[in-house]
């Protein structure tokens, strides 16, 4: 059996519709994740440490696809309940909001993991 014909080793949920998913970091991969999650019916929350006027034009356009945008974000207090957080590669995992989400039991993944699952 070739590796291409095997079933995925990922056995978790694949349905994104209705899930509350935060995207942390709104550079290229964050923008792509917003579009992907919105296309699959997620309630998308866009998060970045910069105010909107310092984001790229693509990021500002992607904010229109999000149900909620916190730029700059203050923490998780207004985001609950949160099912998933997709962290962009440029965001350190030691960031307070990532640590807060982890401590609260939120599933935290990167964009490669998101792509792998689907």
């Amino acid at each position: 059996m070739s590796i291409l014909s095997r079933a995925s080793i990922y056995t978790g949920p694949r349905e994104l519709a209705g899930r509350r998913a935060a995207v942390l970091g709104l550079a290229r991969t964050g923008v792509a994740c917003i579009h992907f999650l919105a296309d699959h019916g997620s309630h998308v929350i866009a998060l970045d440490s910069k105010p909107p006027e310092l984001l790229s034009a693509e990021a500002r356009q992607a904010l229109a696809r999000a149900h909620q945008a916190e730029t700059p974000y203050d923490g998780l207090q207004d985001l609950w309940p949160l099912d998933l957080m997709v962290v962009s590669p440029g965001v350190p995992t030691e960031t307070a909001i990532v640590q807060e989400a982890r401590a609260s039991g939120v599933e935290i993944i990167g964009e490669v993991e998101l792509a792998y699952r689907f």
Side-chain angles (χ1 to χ4, degrees), residues 78-103:
D78 296 325
L79 306 179
W80 297 113
L82 193 59
D83 299 310
L84 175 69
M85 179 179 280
V86 181
V87 181
S88 293
V91 177
T93 56
E94 302 82 32
T95 302
I97 195 167
V98 175
Q99 294 299 320
E100 187 180 349
R102 182 175 288 119

Side-chain angles (χ1 to χ4, degrees), residues 23-100:
V23 176
L24 179 59
L26 302 181
R28 283 186 173 160
T29 59
V31 168
C33 287
I34 287 172
H35 290 297
F36 180 83
L37 291 164
D39 288 347
H40 287 84
S42 290
H43 179 101
V44 180
I45 302 162
L47 304 169
D48 200 280
S49 60
K50 297 179 201 138
E53 61 272 10
L54 296 181
L55 297 173
S56 70
E58 293 81 12
R60 288 192 307 272
Q61 290 172 346
L63 291 177
R65 306 258 349 248
H67 288 84
Q68 183 177 347
E70 300 291 331
T71 59
Y73 58 80
D74 291 325
L76 295 179
Q77 64 272 7
D78 296 325
L79 306 179
W80 297 113
L82 193 59
D83 299 310
L84 175 69
M85 179 179 280
V86 181
V87 181
S88 293
V91 177
T93 56
E94 302 82 32
T95 302
I97 195 167
V98 175
Q99 294 299 320
E100 187 180 349

